[in-house]
Every structure is written in structure tokens, then in C-alpha cells.
Amino acid sequence: PTLLKRILINLVDNAIKYGHRQGKVVLRTWEEGEKVCCSVRDFGPGIDSQDQGLLFKKFSRGKNNLEHQIPGSGLGLYLVKYFAELLQGEISYSPPEGGG
């Protein structure tokens, strides 16, 4: 439960930080057999295609101007992936149409 809580807090925190100021964040959960699944979506500018491969790497941050204005270590999504794998799960990023 503690790892799952950390995963969700980090994903929602990122969505709030990198989404639009007055925007919304959509958190969706569902079951697939024995698995618990979730998705987190914001409606910000999205992640540049050249940065998507770095998304879950240790100490990596995107190169866009917005991210450089927001403090961070580049460990958040790396830890999310690590925690998900400890729980025998997985994480991925799917760029939605229109960003986010």
C-alpha cells in the first residue's frame, strides 16, 4: 500500500506541476483481472518527442522551458517506475492528442 500511494502521489503531483495553471487532472482507476490499473492525465503542453525516451531514467528532465522553471531532481518518475516494478507492475507514457 505504501508504494502504491507513493506512485499515485508522484504522478498526480507531476500532473499538477506540469499541467496548465487553471487546468484539471484526471485520475482514472480500473481492474483488469488480478491487476489494478490507473492513468493520470493533465492538459499541459505534453512532453517533447525527443524527451519521451528519457522519461523514466534516473536524474533526467525534459529540455522545455517550463520544466527548468520548476525545481526537481529528475528522480520522481524513475522512482515511480522502480516502485511499480517492485509491485510486479509496469508504467508507460502515451502522449494523448492535444498534449498533456
Side-chain angles (χ1 to χ4, degrees), residues 70-88:
I70 299 171
S73 64
L75 285 174
L77 292 178
Y78 167 79
L79 290 173
V80 165
K81 181 179 183 205
Y82 179 74
F83 294 157
E85 290 172 350
L86 283 176
L87 296 169
Q88 289 142 13

mmCIF file of all heavy atoms in Angstrom, residues 70-88:
data_model
loop_
_atom_site.group_PDB
_atom_site.id
_atom_site.type_symbol
_atom_site.label_atom_id
_atom_site.label_comp_id
_atom_site.label_asym_id
_atom_site.label_seq_id
_atom_site.Cartn_x
_atom_site.Cartn_y
_atom_site.Cartn_z
ATOM 1 N N ILE A 70 10.577 24.873 -12.911
ATOM 2 C CA ILE A 70 10.035 24.085 -11.813
ATOM 3 C C ILE A 70 11.175 23.261 -11.210
ATOM 4 O O ILE A 70 11.810 22.485 -11.912
ATOM 5 C CB ILE A 70 8.906 23.162 -12.311
ATOM 6 C CG1 ILE A 70 7.772 24.009 -12.883
ATOM 7 C CG2 ILE A 70 8.404 22.277 -11.195
ATOM 8 C CD1 ILE A 70 6.708 23.206 -13.596
ATOM 9 N N PRO A 71 11.446 23.431 -9.913
ATOM 10 C CA PRO A 71 12.546 22.686 -9.313
ATOM 11 C C PRO A 71 12.255 21.186 -9.264
ATOM 12 O O PRO A 71 11.103 20.763 -9.162
ATOM 13 C CB PRO A 71 12.654 23.270 -7.903
ATOM 14 C CG PRO A 71 11.393 23.987 -7.645
ATOM 15 C CD PRO A 71 10.772 24.303 -8.971
ATOM 16 N N GLY A 72 13.294 20.404 -9.355
ATOM 17 C CA GLY A 72 13.165 18.956 -9.260
ATOM 18 C C GLY A 72 14.501 18.285 -9.490
ATOM 19 O O GLY A 72 15.430 18.888 -10.030
ATOM 20 N N SER A 73 14.590 17.027 -9.071
ATOM 21 C CA SER A 73 15.851 16.294 -9.168
ATOM 22 C C SER A 73 15.904 15.349 -10.362
ATOM 23 O O SER A 73 16.960 14.823 -10.685
ATOM 24 C CB SER A 73 16.050 15.465 -7.893
ATOM 25 O OG SER A 73 15.018 14.486 -7.797
ATOM 26 N N GLY A 74 14.766 15.091 -10.985
ATOM 27 C CA GLY A 74 14.739 14.106 -12.061
ATOM 28 C C GLY A 74 14.645 12.682 -11.534
ATOM 29 O O GLY A 74 14.922 11.729 -12.253
ATOM 30 N N LEU A 75 14.238 12.525 -10.279
ATOM 31 C CA LEU A 75 14.121 11.192 -9.691
ATOM 32 C C LEU A 75 12.677 10.706 -9.577
ATOM 33 O O LEU A 75 12.449 9.516 -9.423
ATOM 34 C CB LEU A 75 14.746 11.170 -8.291
ATOM 35 C CG LEU A 75 16.258 11.169 -8.242
ATOM 36 C CD1 LEU A 75 16.736 11.285 -6.802
ATOM 37 C CD2 LEU A 75 16.810 9.913 -8.883
ATOM 38 N N GLY A 76 11.717 11.604 -9.641
ATOM 39 C CA GLY A 76 10.326 11.236 -9.375
ATOM 40 C C GLY A 76 9.803 10.098 -10.227
ATOM 41 O O GLY A 76 9.324 9.083 -9.711
ATOM 42 N N LEU A 77 9.863 10.239 -11.544
ATOM 43 C CA LEU A 77 9.318 9.194 -12.417
ATOM 44 C C LEU A 77 10.209 7.953 -12.447
ATOM 45 O O LEU A 77 9.720 6.838 -12.646
ATOM 46 C CB LEU A 77 9.085 9.734 -13.823
ATOM 47 C CG LEU A 77 7.968 10.767 -13.922
ATOM 48 C CD1 LEU A 77 7.841 11.273 -15.354
ATOM 49 C CD2 LEU A 77 6.647 10.203 -13.435
ATOM 50 N N TYR A 78 11.502 8.143 -12.205
ATOM 51 C CA TYR A 78 12.392 6.977 -12.059
ATOM 52 C C TYR A 78 11.922 6.130 -10.875
ATOM 53 O O TYR A 78 11.821 4.903 -10.973
ATOM 54 C CB TYR A 78 13.837 7.442 -11.857
ATOM 55 C CG TYR A 78 14.740 6.332 -11.390
ATOM 56 C CD1 TYR A 78 15.226 5.387 -12.282
ATOM 57 C CD2 TYR A 78 15.093 6.215 -10.051
ATOM 58 C CE1 TYR A 78 16.044 4.354 -11.856
ATOM 59 C CE2 TYR A 78 15.908 5.193 -9.618
ATOM 60 C CZ TYR A 78 16.381 4.258 -10.510
ATOM 61 O OH TYR A 78 17.180 3.229 -10.078
ATOM 62 N N LEU A 79 11.629 6.788 -9.737
ATOM 63 C CA LEU A 79 11.157 6.062 -8.556
ATOM 64 C C LEU A 79 9.786 5.452 -8.781
ATOM 65 O O LEU A 79 9.510 4.349 -8.302
ATOM 66 C CB LEU A 79 11.154 6.983 -7.336
ATOM 67 C CG LEU A 79 12.539 7.371 -6.823
ATOM 68 C CD1 LEU A 79 12.431 8.413 -5.716
ATOM 69 C CD2 LEU A 79 13.300 6.146 -6.345
ATOM 70 N N VAL A 80 8.920 6.143 -9.507
ATOM 71 C CA VAL A 80 7.609 5.582 -9.825
ATOM 72 C C VAL A 80 7.776 4.255 -10.572
ATOM 73 O O VAL A 80 7.142 3.260 -10.251
ATOM 74 C CB VAL A 80 6.764 6.578 -10.653
ATOM 75 C CG1 VAL A 80 5.567 5.902 -11.285
ATOM 76 C CG2 VAL A 80 6.306 7.729 -9.771
ATOM 77 N N LYS A 81 8.655 4.254 -11.551
ATOM 78 C CA LYS A 81 8.906 3.024 -12.322
ATOM 79 C C LYS A 81 9.491 1.941 -11.423
ATOM 80 O O LYS A 81 9.073 0.783 -11.467
ATOM 81 C CB LYS A 81 9.833 3.300 -13.493
ATOM 82 C CG LYS A 81 10.091 2.065 -14.325
ATOM 83 C CD LYS A 81 10.986 2.350 -15.500
ATOM 84 C CE LYS A 81 11.117 1.057 -16.295
ATOM 85 N NZ LYS A 81 12.290 0.961 -17.054
ATOM 86 N N TYR A 82 10.449 2.300 -10.604
ATOM 87 C CA TYR A 82 11.084 1.351 -9.689
ATOM 88 C C TYR A 82 10.047 0.742 -8.743
ATOM 89 O O TYR A 82 9.989 -0.476 -8.560
ATOM 90 C CB TYR A 82 12.203 2.065 -8.923
ATOM 91 C CG TYR A 82 12.910 1.201 -7.925
ATOM 92 C CD1 TYR A 82 13.799 0.214 -8.340
ATOM 93 C CD2 TYR A 82 12.698 1.357 -6.556
ATOM 94 C CE1 TYR A 82 14.457 -0.594 -7.420
ATOM 95 C CE2 TYR A 82 13.349 0.562 -5.635
ATOM 96 C CZ TYR A 82 14.225 -0.412 -6.074
ATOM 97 O OH TYR A 82 14.866 -1.209 -5.154
ATOM 98 N N PHE A 83 9.213 1.584 -8.146
ATOM 99 C CA PHE A 83 8.183 1.096 -7.225
ATOM 100 C C PHE A 83 7.174 0.205 -7.951
ATOM 101 O O PHE A 83 6.750 -0.825 -7.428
ATOM 102 C CB PHE A 83 7.452 2.254 -6.548
ATOM 103 C CG PHE A 83 8.302 3.087 -5.627
ATOM 104 C CD1 PHE A 83 7.932 4.386 -5.337
ATOM 105 C CD2 PHE A 83 9.471 2.594 -5.055
ATOM 106 C CE1 PHE A 83 8.707 5.175 -4.484
ATOM 107 C CE2 PHE A 83 10.249 3.367 -4.204
ATOM 108 C CZ PHE A 83 9.858 4.666 -3.914
ATOM 109 N N ALA A 84 6.778 0.604 -9.149
ATOM 110 C CA ALA A 84 5.834 -0.208 -9.925
ATOM 111 C C ALA A 84 6.416 -1.591 -10.196
ATOM 112 O O ALA A 84 5.722 -2.610 -10.069
ATOM 113 C CB ALA A 84 5.474 0.493 -11.232
ATOM 114 N N GLU A 85 7.696 -1.638 -10.556
ATOM 115 C CA GLU A 85 8.339 -2.924 -10.827
ATOM 116 C C GLU A 85 8.477 -3.765 -9.564
ATOM 117 O O GLU A 85 8.350 -4.988 -9.616
ATOM 118 C CB GLU A 85 9.687 -2.708 -11.507
ATOM 119 C CG GLU A 85 9.518 -2.204 -12.933
ATOM 120 C CD GLU A 85 10.816 -1.787 -13.598
ATOM 121 O OE1 GLU A 85 11.871 -1.693 -12.906
ATOM 122 O OE2 GLU A 85 10.776 -1.552 -14.826
ATOM 123 N N LEU A 86 8.716 -3.128 -8.408
ATOM 124 C CA LEU A 86 8.741 -3.870 -7.142
ATOM 125 C C LEU A 86 7.391 -4.535 -6.878
ATOM 126 O O LEU A 86 7.327 -5.607 -6.266
ATOM 127 C CB LEU A 86 9.086 -2.940 -5.974
ATOM 128 C CG LEU A 86 10.539 -2.528 -5.813
ATOM 129 C CD1 LEU A 86 10.684 -1.538 -4.662
ATOM 130 C CD2 LEU A 86 11.431 -3.743 -5.566
ATOM 131 N N LEU A 87 6.320 -3.892 -7.321
ATOM 132 C CA LEU A 87 4.968 -4.431 -7.158
ATOM 133 C C LEU A 87 4.570 -5.356 -8.321
ATOM 134 O O LEU A 87 3.414 -5.712 -8.458
ATOM 135 C CB LEU A 87 3.956 -3.282 -7.044
ATOM 136 C CG LEU A 87 4.121 -2.395 -5.815
ATOM 137 C CD1 LEU A 87 3.248 -1.151 -5.931
ATOM 138 C CD2 LEU A 87 3.797 -3.165 -4.554
ATOM 139 N N GLN A 88 5.550 -5.723 -9.148
ATOM 140 C CA GLN A 88 5.355 -6.546 -10.339
ATOM 141 C C GLN A 88 4.401 -5.898 -11.333
ATOM 142 O O GLN A 88 3.611 -6.553 -11.999
ATOM 143 C CB GLN A 88 4.889 -7.954 -9.955
ATOM 144 C CG GLN A 88 5.990 -8.734 -9.309
ATOM 145 C CD GLN A 88 5.523 -9.607 -8.182
ATOM 146 O OE1 GLN A 88 4.347 -9.827 -7.994
ATOM 147 N NE2 GLN A 88 6.467 -10.096 -7.412
#
